[in-house]
Amino acid sequence: MSAASAGVERTSFEGPHGPVEAVQVRPASGGRSPAPAVLILHEGLGLTVHTIELARRFAQEGYLAFAPNLYSHDATHRTFTEAEVARGVSLLRAADRDEVVVRLPANEQERLKKVFAWFGSRDTSTYLPDARAAAAHLVGRSDVRPGGVAAVGFSLGGGLVGQLAVAGVALAAGAVFYGQAPALEQVKNVRFPLQVHYAEEDPAITPRAPAVGEAFRAAGRELISFVYPGTRHGFFNETRPAYHADAAQLSWRRTREFFAERTGNVGQWRPQAVAGEGARAAG
C-alpha cells in the first residue's frame, strides 16, 4: 500500500440519485470516539489524489475525514484519467489554449477537446443534493460526535459549502476556498459560521467579497474572510500551476484552528509555525 493510500477506505452512501462513491479516513490512533468529522467537497478536477491526501491530513488531526465523489453519476468523467482532466481544466480558460493544443499529437488533441466539451456540459444538478446527503450521512453516524461535523470545499466544492450554508443545513462550521458565493438574499438562512479564503487574483470570485461580507453583517451571520496577496484560483492545491506554498500553509493552519474550535476538537489541534502571515481580512 502506498503512502497516499494508507488508511484510505473506499465506501459509499445513498444519495437522492443513487449510491454515491466516497473515500474516508478514520482518525489517527489515540483519537476519541465518537470523533468530530470533516466533509471534504472536491474542486472541479474531481476526487483526486490531492483530495485523498487532504483527507489523510484531517484524519491525523483527529477527524473522521469523508470525501464524496461528486462525479459518481457522471459516466463521461470516468472515461478520463486524472491527468487528462487536470490538463484540460488548466487550459480551459488559457488565452493561448488553441495554440497549445494544436502543437500536441493528434490523439492528445482529441482527448483534450473531449475534456473541454465535458467540462462545459456537465450535469451539475446532482452535486448539491449529494453534498447534502453526505452531510446528513455524517451527522447520523454513531462514530461521529453530535454537533461536530464541519465542511470544507474548494472551487466547485467551495461553492457547495456556501450552498449548504444558505440551505439551512446545521453544521459546526464551514470553510470555503475560492468558491462562488450563494445568492446574497439567502444569507439570512445560514446556520453555521463560515471562513472564506480568497485568491487575490481571481476575477470571477474575489470582487464579490465586499458584498458577501456586507450581506453577512446585515443578516447577523458569522463570516471570517481572508484574501491572500499574490495568489490565483487554486492556490491550495500543490498539483496545480497556481499553487502558492505560503498561502496554502497559512490557510491550512487557519482552517484547522477554526474547525478545532467549532467542533470541540481543541485538544487535538497542535499549532505549528507557518510563514506568510500576510493575508488580510476581506470583511
Side-chain angles (χ1 to χ4, degrees):
M1 180 177 288
S2 68
S5 62
V8 176
E9 303 174 42
R10 300 281 174 175
T11 185
S12 65
F13 62 96
E14 195 63 28
H17 300 279
V20 181
E21 302 162 352
V23 299
Q24 69 179 16
V25 186
R26 297 182 187 275
S29 59
R32 293 162 291 180
S33 183
V38 174
L39 172 63
I40 304 170
L41 299 177
H42 63 70
E43 58 193 328
L45 299 180
L47 186 55
T48 62
V49 171
H50 163 78
T51 310
I52 295 171
E53 176 58 27
L54 180 59
R56 293 181 67 245
R57 290 166 69 184
F58 272 116
Q60 290 167 2
E61 300 296 325
Y63 296 94
L64 171 68
F66 192 84
N69 180 3
L70 299 171
Y71 295 148
S72 291
H73 313 300
D74 191 328
T76 302
H77 179 263
R78 296 179 186 277
T79 67
F80 303 127
T81 67
E82 184 174 316
E84 286 175 334
V85 173
R87 190 178 193 184
V89 171
S90 70
L91 285 171
L92 199 61
R93 296 178 180 85
D96 60 345
R97 183 184 82 177
D98 293 341
E99 298 173 21
V100 172
V101 172
V102 78
R103 292 196 295 266
L104 298 172
N107 63 319
E108 292 185 31
Q109 290 187 39
E110 289 306 309
R111 295 294 291 172
L112 275 176
K113 289 176 182 177
K114 289 180 179 179
V115 173
F116 298 153
W118 162 76
F119 198 85
S121 62
R122 292 171 298 170
D123 177 7
T124 63
S125 64
T126 63
Y127 302 165
L128 180 57
D130 284 348
R132 293 191 68 162
H137 168 77
L138 286 176
V139 169
R141 287 176 57 154
S142 61
D143 58 348
V144 171
R145 179 186 303 162
V149 179
V152 61
F154 303 83
S155 192
L156 165 68
L160 289 171
V161 172
Q163 291 292 331
L164 290 177
V166 299
V169 175
L171 298 176
V176 175
F177 282 74
Y178 32 83
Q180 287 284 359
L184 299 185
E185 63 270 17
Q186 297 178 351
V187 166
K188 62 183 182 295
N189 300 322
V190 171
R191 295 181 61 189
F192 58 85
L194 283 173
Q195 185 182 81
V196 184
H197 304 274
Y198 293 103
E200 182 177 50
E201 300 168 16
D202 192 353
I205 304 291
T206 305
R208 293 196 68 198
V212 173
E214 180 54 38
F216 271 76
R217 282 190 291 270
R221 299 299 186 265
E222 185 177 0
L223 178 73
I224 305 165
S225 56
F226 305 97
V227 176
Y228 295 82
T231 61
R232 295 179 290 138
H233 191 96
F235 70 78
F236 188 82
N237 187 337
E238 73 282 355
T239 70
R240 299 187 67 169
Y243 176 64
H244 190 291
D246 287 347
Q249 289 179 312
L250 179 55
S251 58
W252 167 239
R253 195 199 72 183
R254 285 172 165 159
T255 301
R256 290 166 60 223
E257 186 174 20
F258 181 57
F259 281 2
E261 178 185 354
R262 302 312 170 101
T263 65
N265 198 37
V266 177
Q268 290 292 114
W269 184 70
R270 300 177 298 277
Q272 299 175 356
V274 175
E277 289 281 1
R280 58 180 181 271

